[in-house]
Structure formats: structure tokens, C-alpha cells
Amino acid sequence: MSSSQKAQEVKGSAPGQSAGFARRSGARWFLGETAVGAARTHRVPLDFLSGGRWRVDVVRDGPDGPVRESRLLTRHDTLKVRGVENGGFAAFVCRAVPGRAGCDEPVRHVPSGTLTVDPRETAADPGTEVRLDGGFTIDEFGPVTDVTLSAKAPEGWSVEGPGATAAELATGRPLTADWRITVPEQPAYGWTNIPVTVAYRDPAAGATAPKLSLRRQARVFVSPPGIDYVRDLPFSAETNGWGPVERDTSNGESAEGDGGPLRIGDRTYGKGLGTHASSEVTVDLGDTDTYDRFNADVGIDEETPDRGSVVFEVIGDGKVLGTSGVMGPHDPAHAFDIDVTGVRRLTLRVTDGGDGNDSDHADWADARLHIAAGTARR
């Protein structure tokens, strides 16, 4: 509860018979009480109010439906509200000032908008550029003023492009910008976030009110030199026990793109495949000297933390090169490190462990191929 709000139990409340409260927000109080049993008169001492006269707007249960009534009282009075069987009331309390017809206050609508970033996720190599587009539109309750759309580069990265500004932006009118993001020659490998922010003012709030803002993040994945992730390669064949094979997310449900982060135990992975037994993913490796090793951490995803059993198999040109054995939901990740020199077709297979495929959500986390020395990256 904020410092501008206060709540207290209404005097006279009786456990099992009646319950009431008084709550303040700014200069207004909100009172209420409900009771069980026979009809009664609700009595609320108003000594928690400060001095002066107060307007009390009451909505109470009546024999034929809600009844509205108002009165003027002070902190020395007791609010008395006639009740009905198993009934109650609610009341607004505000300062009694000349011309005030009620304690209701108009609702001020805050301008709301949509901020988009494209692409949300992409991959890049060290020293290369990524193009990033941003857009902002006020959806309702515009216009807004003093609008700034900007992107910020993390340490070591650079952003070229001025962003966009508008002195005033009307409802439905888009504000767009584009940037060129340069990846450093020696970046941190993995995912890097590029925050895109829009800030604007609500004219109705006044010039001294703080700006409103929205933020979205683009993510750029930088692979270590000499690595190709299986999720980035085209599948020459694919089967899955529930929905499609997912790239960089867990299997989720039956629709495409409905998975969550890849999680095995307490670790979350940025790259990999989310599958469901029984499944097979096959990729063509091209020339027999393109890759020399395959690595992956495998296990049951945390979205099914207490059920499931699977077996992971790595198959090269029809020959089983490695197996995890039966894995359950509480087993730590199994690490594959397999020589694939000379392999033309690599298949990643998951079976149900012999007990059916209920909850068999299986992750090939950080599944990657090492480019053989002397071979140019594809």
C-alpha cells in the first residue's frame, strides 16, 4: 500500500457476523460493510476523518435492489445505513465543497501505444552489421508530445542512426526509425540485448510530469568461430511426437512457436531444439570434411519437471554414434561430444524410454557442429 493510501477495519465489525473496511486514496475515503443474518442498521463511527464537513455517497442493498443516497456528516457523527437480510453497503466519502454533486472523479485516460522491433532475434558474426527497425504508434488517447525513439548499444558495440523524434504524435500515426548495429571484432559469444526505448509526454499530465516510456529488446546471437548450430541448418527430415520441432525453445504444446526457454535443471540455454518423443531431426552435413565434432547437452525440459523418460541417440549415416541411456525428469543434462568426421547425414533421435511418451519433452540444448580445421564457414 502506498503512503497516500490507508486502510483500517471499521469499528463494530464482528467475526462471523459482519466485516467492514475504510480505505483512503488521496483525499477520498472508501467505506464498506457486509453482514450475514437478519436485517440490521450498519453503524460506522467517522472519527478517523479529519475536521470539517464531508459528503458521503452511499450505495446500499435494498429490498428491491441497490439504493443510492447522500448525506453531509462530520468526524463527530456515526454513519447509519439501513440494511437488509444478508446485505451491506459501500460508500464514497469526500470533502463537502460548494457545487460538488458527488464524490465520483472523472477517469483520466493515459495514452497507450505499441512499440515494435524487427527483427526481435537474429544471428551475426563478429565484425558484421545487423539492421534493426523500430516503430511506435499511439493506439488510443493521443496525441502525445516530445516523443523520442532510440536504440542503445551495449559496451563494445556501436549503433549508427539518429533514431526518431516528434514534437507531437497523433493517435494512429506511426513514428519509425532504423539503425545499423555493428558487432565488435571480439564480442562476448551468445545472446546480446539491444534495448529500444520510446519516451513521450502526456499533455494532460502537465509539463512537470515525468515522461511515459516503453522498452523492447532485440537480441543478437554471436556464435564462436568455427561453430554451426544445428538449429540454423535446414532439416532434410523431421518428425516429432507432439507438434513441430521447435528452434531455440522447448516443445511446448501442439502449435508452432508455443514453447518456452530451453531449460534442463537449473540452466537455461539460448540455442537448441525442443522436441517430444518419439522424434527425429536429420541434417545434411555436405562434404565429409566439413565438420569433425558434434556437441550438445540433452535432457527433459523443466516444463515437465516431474514426469517423462526418454533416450537420446546421435546417428551418423544410419549408425548409432552415441546414446544417453534412459533419462528421467530429475537427471542432470547428459553431454554429448561425438566425432562426426566423414558423416554426411546426422540424425538426432529421441525415443520414449519404453514407457510411452507422456510428458516426454526432450531438449537438444546448444546442439552444435564444429567446423573442421581448414574448412571455410558455410
Side-chain angles (χ1 to χ4, degrees), residues 289-291 371-377:
D289 59 353
T290 301
Y291 301 103
I371 299 173
T375 302
R377 177 183 289 277

Side-chain angles (χ1 to χ4, degrees), residues 24-272:
R24 180 173 63 84
S25 177
R28 294 191 302 168
W29 283 88
F30 303 86
L31 311 180
E33 188 173 32
T34 184
V36 296
R40 52 169 287 187
T41 296
H42 304 275
R43 291 177 170 83
V44 182
L46 300 179
D47 54 0
F48 54 86
L49 297 175
S50 57
R53 293 176 41 162
W54 294 81
R55 178 188 177 96
V56 182
D57 293 338
V58 176
V59 179
R60 63 177 176 85
D61 291 318
D64 300 315
V67 176
R68 297 176 181 271
E69 54 194 26
S70 297
R71 63 201 72 174
L72 298 178
L73 300 170
T74 73
R75 68 183 308 273
H76 304 293
D77 294 320
T78 295
L79 172 64
K80 299 176 184 179
V81 181
R82 185 171 57 182
V84 298
E85 183 180 3
N86 298 323
F89 78 94
F92 285 177
V93 183
C94 61
R95 284 288 184 185
V97 296
R100 172 170 267 175
C103 290
D104 290 337
E105 293 181 353
V107 176
R108 186 175 69 83
H109 296 289
V110 177
S112 61
T114 300
L115 175 61
T116 59
V117 178
D118 184 43
R120 291 295 300 272
E121 294 183 351
T122 190
D125 292 326
T128 62
E129 279 189 353
V130 174
R131 170 139 182 187
L132 184 62
D133 296 317
F136 175 65
T137 304
I138 286 291
D139 299 320
E140 54 186 355
F141 309 125
V144 296
T145 59
D146 193 12
V147 188
T148 303
L149 180 59
S150 61
K152 183 177 180 181
E155 185 176 357
W157 295 54
S158 66
V159 173
E160 294 184 30
T165 61
E168 182 175 292
L169 190 66
T171 300
R173 178 186 169 192
L175 181 68
T176 61
D178 61 83
W179 303 273
R180 294 185 304 280
I181 314 294
T182 301
V183 183
E185 294 289 346
Q186 296 182 328
Y189 298 114
W191 289 106
T192 294
N193 294 326
I194 310 294
V196 175
T197 304
V198 64
Y200 57 96
R201 295 190 184 279
D202 175 8
T208 60
K211 277 190 168 185
L212 304 172
S213 65
L214 294 172
R215 173 179 286 194
R216 296 287 182 267
Q217 292 192 137
R219 300 207 305 162
V220 180
F221 192 90
V222 183
S223 301
I227 297 291
D228 278 345
Y229 284 86
V230 174
R231 63 87 59 219
D232 294 322
L233 303 178
F235 300 160
S236 58
E238 169 191 348
T239 61
N240 203 44
W242 179 245
V245 173
E246 301 284 4
R247 300 177 191 251
D248 297 343
T249 68
S250 63
N251 185 86
E253 298 298 333
S254 60
E256 183 177 359
D258 62 2
L262 293 164
R263 295 178 300 153
I264 303 175
D266 59 1
R267 182 175 175 185
T268 300
Y269 298 81
K271 288 277 191 176

